[in-house]
């Protein structure tokens, strides 16, 4: 079975541009999470989706960040007006409902803002 | 304020010996603890977890120990193999919540 996939694997963008990062969770996983890992840091929670419930956006660092999940499957993380401090690896994870303690991660998207 | 800390950024161990990776936390409301392994250019891979009501969980070469009074957990790998060389992250879940809080990671190097 396929794992979590993310695209693109690498993205270089100019400061001020918008970017979209995509995540395809494991089939059957209703929970989806976005994290980011800045250089030398641990993973930082961004947002959580569960089924059709309202997402938990408590980790989003600013209103430039938004995410949506269409049809309960694929998710897109959008960063508007990118800043250099947004440079990081953005990781998506999915899990079965209620199994927050067993999340499966994708390979990540490395975002570089120049 | 880091609620989950891994104070050793790196650890070097000889093949066949035991690797011990440590993690400290501050929030007593964490109810689940996990260890993830990460290779370069890949996402973290789930290794093993432990509920806060237990003090030990074992899976093959991997054992996680939880000391709640000390707010400390550790991952033991016995015997260590060169393929275990990776960055290991400790993570904790807050009170059946939706997210995991991660430590900064420890780079393990297992030498042949």
């Amino acid at each position: 079975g396929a794992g979590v996939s993310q695209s693109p694997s690498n993205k270089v963008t100019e400061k001020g541009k918008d970017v979209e990062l995509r995540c395809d969770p494991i089939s059957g996983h209703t929970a989806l999470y976005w994290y980011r890992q800045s250089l030398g840091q641990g993973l930082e929670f961004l947002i959580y989706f569960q089924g059709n419930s309202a997402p938990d956006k408590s980790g989003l660092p600013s209103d430039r960040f938004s995410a949506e999940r269409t049809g309960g499957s694929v998710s897109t993380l959008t960063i508007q007006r990118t800043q250099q401090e947004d440079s990081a690896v953005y990781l998506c994870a999915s899990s079965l409902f209620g199994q927050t303690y067993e999340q499966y991660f994708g390979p990540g998207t490395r975002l570089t803002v120049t | 304020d880091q609620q989950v800390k891994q104070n050793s950024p790196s650890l070097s161990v000889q093949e066949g010996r035991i690797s011990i990776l440590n993690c400290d936390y501050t929030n007593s409301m964490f109810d689940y603890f996990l260890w993830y392994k990460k290779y370069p250019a890949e996402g973290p891979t789930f290794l093993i977890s432990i509920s806060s009501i237990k003090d030990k969980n074992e899976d093959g070469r991997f054992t996680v120990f939880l000391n709640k009074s000390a707010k400390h957990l550790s991952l033991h790998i016995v015997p260590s193999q060169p393929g275990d060389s990776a960055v290991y992250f400790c993570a904790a879940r807050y009170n059946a919540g939706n997210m995991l809080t991660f430590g900064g990671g420890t780079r393990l190097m297992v030498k042949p």
Side-chain angles (χ1 to χ4, degrees):
Chain A
V4 177
S5 61
Q6 293 185 246
S7 60
S9 54
N10 279 286
K11 176 73 176 178
V12 180
T13 190
E14 291 180 356
K15 179 182 169 181
K17 296 283 180 81
D18 297 352
V19 294
E20 283 190 353
L21 313 178
R22 176 189 166 107
C23 172
D24 241 302
I26 292 172
S27 177
H29 281 190
T30 57
L32 186 147
Y33 316 77
W34 283 97
Y35 294 85
R36 75 174 175 183
Q37 184 182 15
S38 302
L39 190 63
Q41 304 294 313
L43 279 71
E44 173 191 4
F45 168 78
L46 297 176
I47 189 169
Y48 161 77
F49 293 90
Q50 170 50 49
N52 295 320
S53 303
D56 176 353
K57 304 179 183 179
S58 58
L60 294 178
S62 77
D63 58 8
R64 296 186 295 105
F65 288 72
S66 63
E68 63 177 22
R69 189 177 183 193
T70 53
S73 181
V74 171
S75 176
T76 303
L77 176 70
T78 301
I79 309 173
Q80 295 179 310
R81 305 180 303 283
T82 51
Q83 304 294 314
Q84 288 187 330
E85 61 262 28
D86 299 334
S87 297
V89 176
Y90 288 81
L91 290 153
C92 175
S94 70
S95 74
L96 293 170
F97 173 64
Q99 293 192 7
T100 320
Y101 50 83
E102 195 165 332
Q103 299 178 23
Y104 294 84
F105 283 82
T109 294
R110 181 174 296 278
L111 175 66
T112 304
V113 181
T114 61
Chain B
D1 176 31
Q2 273 191 294
Q3 297 191 63
V4 179
K5 283 186 183 178
Q6 294 175 255
N7 292 316
S8 299
S10 65
L11 174 68
S12 183
V13 170
Q14 204 67 34
E15 180 179 6
R17 300 289 188 108
I18 184 171
S19 294
I20 300 177
L21 297 137
N22 294 304
C23 179
D24 296 295
Y25 63 95
T26 56
N27 197 325
S28 58
M29 295 299 289
F30 287 139
D31 66 344
Y32 247 99
F33 301 90
L34 304 89
W35 285 94
Y36 281 83
K37 177 170 74 174
K38 187 181 185 299
Y39 294 118
E42 295 184 12
T45 304
F46 170 76
L47 265 181
I48 191 168
S49 64
I50 186 167
S51 164
S52 61
I53 63 173
K54 301 199 171 183
D55 55 20
K56 177 182 174 181
N57 188 25
E58 190 172 352
D59 183 2
R61 297 187 298 114
F62 302 92
T63 303
V64 56
F65 296 91
L66 176 62
N67 182 334
K68 285 183 68 177
S69 60
K71 293 191 173 68
H72 177 85
L73 68 155
S74 60
L75 174 69
H76 292 210
I77 307 173
V78 184
S80 301
Q81 300 173 352
D84 296 329
S85 298
V87 177
Y88 288 77
F89 290 98
C90 165
R93 184 182 80 167
Y94 178 84
N95 196 23
N98 301 327
M99 67 177 210
L100 298 177
T101 300
F102 283 80
T106 297
R107 181 177 300 278
L108 173 66
M109 292 162 284
V110 180
K111 298 179 179 178

